Amino acid sequence: MTFVHATQVASTLPAPAGAGVRVGVAMAGLLVAAASIYVFPLMVGYHVSVGRLLRLSALFAIGRPGTTVRSLSVVIVAGALSYLFPAAPLLLTAVVASKLYGWCEPAITTAVTPRVPDGRLSRAGAVVS
């Protein structure tokens, strides 16, 4: 809703300022969409506070552009299919969620989980800073 209000306000501003507000709103919306892809794998696998969860998901969205673009493309295709075929969400939800989790989890695991002395990855003592 805030994005809609910001674009309405931008239409009342002079041309350069209005265009800047529209670009800023579009960038913020894209960052929110990209960060939301990483929220679920972080929330499921690690015990972090809400503030840290949001910060880490935004950092992963910016820091892993290949995974983020690939994941956003899957979400956009699933959204388009849902628009064209109203029953598609019933069929696609599990497939899309497993794809996103499968792509995001390795990126998160290598960045967040510390290595223990014998070389295995451990989630038990994950230190997230």
Side-chain angles (χ1 to χ4, degrees), residues 11-89:
S11 66
T12 63
L13 296 174
V21 169
R22 284 190 190 102
V23 168
V25 167
M27 296 284 287
L30 186 62
L31 179 62
V32 167
S36 67
I37 290 170
Y38 291 94
V39 168
F40 182 71
L42 280 168
M43 188 172 49
V44 169
Y46 304 93
H47 299 287
V48 294
S49 65
V50 173
R52 188 169 284 173
L53 176 74
L54 297 176
R55 190 187 86 191
L56 281 173
S57 62
L59 288 174
F60 279 120
I62 294 169
R64 307 283 183 174
T67 305
T68 302
V69 169
R70 188 169 48 172
S71 299
L72 280 175
S73 65
V74 167
V75 170
I76 290 169
V77 167
L81 287 174
S82 298
Y83 181 76
L84 295 173
F85 306 107

Side-chain angles (χ1 to χ4, degrees), residues 4 6 50 72 105 109 118-119:
V4 173
V50 173
L72 280 175
E105 182 62 18
T109 302
D118 62 357

Side-chain angles (χ1 to χ4, degrees), residues 45-46 105 107-116 120-128:
Y46 304 93
E105 182 62 18
I108 292 170
T109 302
T110 57
V112 174
T113 308
R115 295 207 175 266
V116 293
R120 292 178 296 127
L121 291 174
S122 169
R123 289 187 184 190
V127 179
V128 182

